[in-house]
Amino acid sequence: MKVLALYSIKGGVGKTAAAVNLAHTAAEEGVRTLLLDLDAQGAASFYFRVRARRKSTVDRLLEDRDRVQRAIRATDYEHLDILPAHESFRRLERALDAVKKSRSRLARMLKPQRREYDLVVIDCPPTLTLVAEAVFRAADLVLVPVVPTTLSERTLDMLRREFKEQGLPRERLRAFFSLVDRRKRLHRDMLEDLPRRSKVAFCRSPIPVSSDIERMGLGREPVTRFAPQSAGALAVLELWWEVRRALGMRD
Ligand SMILES: Nc1ncnc2c1ncn2[C@@H]1O[C@H](COP(=O)(O)OP(=O)(O)O)[C@@H](O)[C@H]1O
Ligand SMILES: [Mg+2]
């Protein structure tokens, strides 16, 4: 079982869209996938039309692995389950802090799922705290959406240093361009230059600004489902191929 985390300290960069679309794409290939919605706002759960059970609070999930099992719901798609966000996930940081071995807790929580799933996709809230540390430890690959703007380079480099300070291998960190608008000169330039300059490896497939991806909230379906031939969905597919390889999963 491999664990892929969509992470950025920034909000609105396309983490949830990527988590939802990549999870759906993987499942369509027959990869048994679990989407873990850690963001209390529950956007990923919303896209999959799934609500958390009332009893699946963060405290219970952290203390009892059987509860995790019971919190997992099926989606409308074969091979794709979700652990939906519960509103108590707002307290995730504090709840994690209160348990022993906080930093490795998430990884341990996921261990029993090895039998059931080939891939866990984590949709992260935008924080750089204990939750992020726990995610970094649980993940085989931390995938960071980068919108090609001037400040994103600094944000990405901060994350790289954070990784280093935590003693995590650099190979576990990978960026991809998100919300790319090729009509903009700055975007085209950044796409050329940043991967060369950056000490963080970049995926080759950028995700463009796409009205289809933006519309996912209306139909509450992954773009790879309702518009599989759109530029947005095809970009997701290419990104998935790179991610799959980076995770060492079979082609
Ligand atoms: N490639 C894209 N093209 C157009 N809109 C997008 C794209 N990716 C995300 N969005 C929109 O941008 C907003 C933020 O995206 P989201 O995935 O929720 O970001 P995050 O999870 O990083 O906060 C949402 O309204 C979403 O519909
Ligand atoms: Mg999100």
Side-chain angles (χ1 to χ4, degrees), residues 138-151:
D140 295 288
L141 191 67
V142 176
L143 194 59
V144 187
V146 173
V147 180
T149 56
T150 37
L151 286 177

Side-chain angles (χ1 to χ4, degrees), residues 53-72 83 109 113:
R53 285 176 207 271
R54 212 157 36 86
K55 285 184 174 171
S56 299
T57 61
V58 66
D59 312 271
R60 283 173 170 152
L61 294 183
L62 286 179
E63 83 198 10
D64 182 355
R65 296 201 286 204
D66 291 343
R67 293 272 187 186
V68 174
Q69 193 56 45
R70 270 180 273 162
I72 293 173
L83 198 162
M109 251 175 72
Q113 302 306 325

